[in-house]
Structures are given as C-alpha cells and as structure tokens.
Amino acid sequence: MTRGALVGTGAILVTSVLWGTTGTAATFAPDAGPLAIGAAALGIGGLLQALVAIPALRASRDVLRANAATVLIGALGVAVYPLAFYASMAAAGVAIGSVVSLASAPLASGLLERFLDRRRLGRRWTIAAALGIVGSGLLCIAKLRDPAEAAAGTTLLGIGLGLVAGITYAGYSWCVRRLLAAGAGRAAAMGAVFGAGGALLVPVLCITAAPLVGSRDFLLVAGYMALVPMFCGYLLFGFGLTRVPASTATTITLTEPAVATVLAVAVVGERLAPVAWIGLAVIGLALVVLVVPLPGSRAATSADEAVDRRIADGPGAGSSPPTSSPPTHSTLTIPTGPAPPSGRAPVTPPERTRGRERRARSSERRAADG
C-alpha cells in the first residue's frame, strides 16, 4: 500500500469512528423521530459543506456542469441515505440498522466500480469485504438471538431500510469519486453533491423538526451530528476518497457498526453475546487485510492505483480542471526522433520496431484501463 493510500485509509478510519457515534447520540433525543434526526444531520451538514466550498465550486464549475447528472444522482443518494439509515435503526435497533447499512455498502460499491468503471477489484478487496460482511453478520445474528429484539415485528423492515441506506451510501461515494476523476477539486466534488443533497433535505427538516425546535436535547444532538460526524467526518471522507477507491473506502467504514456496538455497550448499557465480540474481531481482521500487503501482491503500479495517484496529485481542492486528457489508443503516437538530413525515412532494426510495438500496446492498455 502506498503512503498516500495509507493516509487516505487513516482519514476514512477516523471518519467511520465519528459516524459510529451517531446512533448513540440519537438516543439522547428520544422525542425526535428518525426522519428529523436524519434530515438535521445531513441537511445542515451538507449545506455547510457547500458553504465552505464556494471558492472551489466556482473554480470547478465547468467540470461540475459537464457532469451535472453525476452531481444529481449523488445528491439524491445523500438525501435518501440518512432517512433510510436512521429509520432502519429506529425499526430494528442501532446495531442491526448500522450493521446492515454498512455491510451492504461495500458490495454495492464494488459492483458499481466493476460494471460501470470496469475496475478490477482485486483479491485484497474481495477478502476484506467478505470478512467485513461476515463480522457484521455475526453482530446482526447476536442481536436477532436476543428475544426482546426478535419479538419486535419491525426487524425485517429495518433490514430492508438498511439495504436502501447501504446502496445509496455506495452510490453517492461513487459519484464523488467520479467527479474527482473528471477533474473536480475535492472540496468542489463534496460541496456540490452534499450541498445539493442537503438542499433536498431542507423541506423534510422543516416538516419533521418544526415541533422540536424548542427542545434543548434535539438542538444539542442535531448540532453535534451536523457539525462533527457529518461536516467534519465528510471532509475527512472526501480527503480519503482522493487516495483510495470508493470500494476500499466503504469497506473501511465497516468499522462504523463495530464502533456503534461498543458505544451501545459502554454508553447505552446494551449487553453483547460472545458471538458479537467475535464479529467485532472479524471486522478488525478485515481492516488488517486492507492495510497489510497480501503475499504475492504486485507493487503499487497497477492502472487502478495510477488513477488514484492522478486524482491525489491532480487539481486538488479549489483548483481548475485539467485542460487536457491523457492520451488514449486513438491518439497515441510513438516518437521516433528527428528525420535524417536526407529526408529519407529512418531505417529501424526489426528488434527495435518490435520493442516499440510492445511498448505501444502496453501504453494502450494502461490508457484504456485509466
């Protein structure tokens, strides 16, 4: 793993810890419904993202305008995700809601990258995602075996809403990543997607939170969620996405249900069965797989990592989009040096010609994968 990827992994890991506090924080405002909590968290947080990104949005306006459909799809994902996520926790409990939402996100993200970006996911992602899902599943099983949880007839509804949350989370992560690859700055990509999504949540916030405006508990919880896990967390998340693929990012955030479960035990007073602790250990193992190189893995020179380096070293926050794109197979030329003084075509030995042809084919493949 390159140094940039390691830094990005760390940023997203901190983000997932911040996100893991949201379920516990919501319990301190018991009178607030899940829609009010979700709309306040990402509605206000998303608008703050856009506010601090105004200079970057202006600088990247041409890229954002050219990719307006991507921005819109990402904004819809941002708007739907918190409503489904917090409704899932309200219906099935904090542990199951967060587990299902975050466990389904890596699969959805990986499928998006595989079929839309033609990106090779690799053995590392496959093993880490599988371990993360197994660990999350063990957490879910532990909760379902609790008679009090199993008896509440809304568990299946909560699981369904968690799947919706996972899909939309993967969707807006992929959209942000696509905007970064198109040349938008980090702040511009995050500000556009989350600002538009926050604007879509404003009507929901006005309808659901109006009766709670005078509640001190709701204001404190909503303020914490909007500023810390959502605003600061998504700043770190956007930073991490410039250095790791969306599929890796969503796999790292499988630590969120683990954090949520630990907080549920330490703060809320929930009790965990031994199988739940095994699930936490398996999720930790998934993170180790992401960070520690696997035996026989190639050095960081693949086309996928080349794309990640171009994003990390590219326009950056607040800069203008690139004025030219990398050469493709249709524009690739092979320099042969200056023509001889006589004007005749240079005579190239067959071995050198074959070497150039091999290099040309290799360059075409890298350009096509990039």
Side-chain angles (χ1 to χ4, degrees):
M1 178 175 286
T2 63
R3 180 178 179 181
L6 190 60
V7 172
T9 298
I12 295 175
L13 183 59
V14 173
T15 299
S16 65
V17 172
L18 294 178
W19 288 347
T21 66
T22 57
T24 299
T27 62
F28 289 94
D31 295 332
L35 299 184
I37 292 290
L42 261 181
I44 299 173
L47 293 177
L48 288 175
Q49 288 273 0
L51 183 63
V52 300
I54 288 176
L57 290 169
R58 291 173 177 169
S60 297
R61 59 182 176 273
D62 292 337
V63 176
L64 297 174
R65 189 180 298 115
N67 294 272
T70 301
V71 174
L72 178 59
I73 294 172
L76 290 173
V78 169
V80 173
Y81 167 74
L83 305 180
F85 179 61
Y86 289 102
S88 174
M89 289 192 295
V94 173
I96 291 180
S98 58
V99 163
V100 173
S101 300
L102 274 298
S104 59
L107 283 180
S109 183
L111 292 175
L112 284 173
E113 290 184 2
R114 179 66 184 90
F115 292 105
L116 297 182
D117 295 339
R118 305 296 181 186
R119 191 185 190 101
R120 294 184 297 273
L121 296 175
R123 186 170 48 149
R124 180 193 299 274
W125 176 88
T126 303
I127 295 175
L131 288 173
I133 292 170
V134 169
S136 299
L138 290 174
L139 289 176
C140 195
I141 290 172
K143 202 69 176 176
L144 286 173
R145 289 174 66 180
D146 186 342
E149 295 290 341
T154 57
T155 299
L156 290 180
L157 174 62
I159 291 175
L161 290 170
L163 291 175
V164 173
I167 293 170
T168 52
Y169 167 43
Y172 71 68
S173 300
W174 178 83
C175 289
V176 170
R177 178 75 178 181
R178 192 172 183 86
L179 291 173
L180 293 171
R186 181 178 71 245
M190 296 294 291
V193 170
F194 283 85
L200 292 176
L201 285 169
V202 168
V204 180
L205 179 61
C206 293
I207 295 172
T208 59
L212 302 168
V213 171
S215 170
R216 186 177 68 91
D217 291 341
F218 173 75
L219 293 178
L220 290 175
V221 169
Y224 167 77
M225 286 188 169
L227 292 176
V228 180
M230 299 306 162
F231 178 64
C232 296
Y234 277 106
L235 286 179
L236 287 172
F237 187 68
F239 173 80
L241 278 177
T242 64
R243 285 157 173 79
V244 298
S247 56
T248 300
T250 52
T251 304
I252 295 170
T253 54
L254 282 169
T255 53
E256 179 181 344
V259 172
T261 303
V262 170
L263 288 177
V265 172
V267 178
V268 182
E270 294 185 4
R271 300 178 61 182
L272 285 183
V275 67
W277 292 111
I278 295 174
L280 292 177
V282 173
I283 291 176
L285 181 59
L287 290 176
V288 173
V289 170
L290 279 177
V291 175
V292 178
L294 294 175
S297 62
R298 296 184 304 169
T301 56
S302 67
D304 294 343
E305 289 175 323
V307 172
D308 299 336
R309 288 196 298 272
R310 284 201 298 271
I311 293 174
D313 299 334
S319 62
S320 300
T323 56
S324 61
S325 57
T328 62
H329 65 278
S330 60
T331 60
L332 183 66
T333 58
I334 306 172
T336 58
S342 61
R344 292 177 296 175
V347 179
T348 305
E351 295 82 1
R352 185 178 301 176
T353 301
R354 288 194 292 270
R356 287 174 178 168
E357 290 175 352
R358 286 194 296 270
R359 288 194 296 273
R361 288 193 294 270
S362 178
S363 299
E364 290 175 0
R365 286 194 295 270
R366 287 196 300 270
D369 291 339

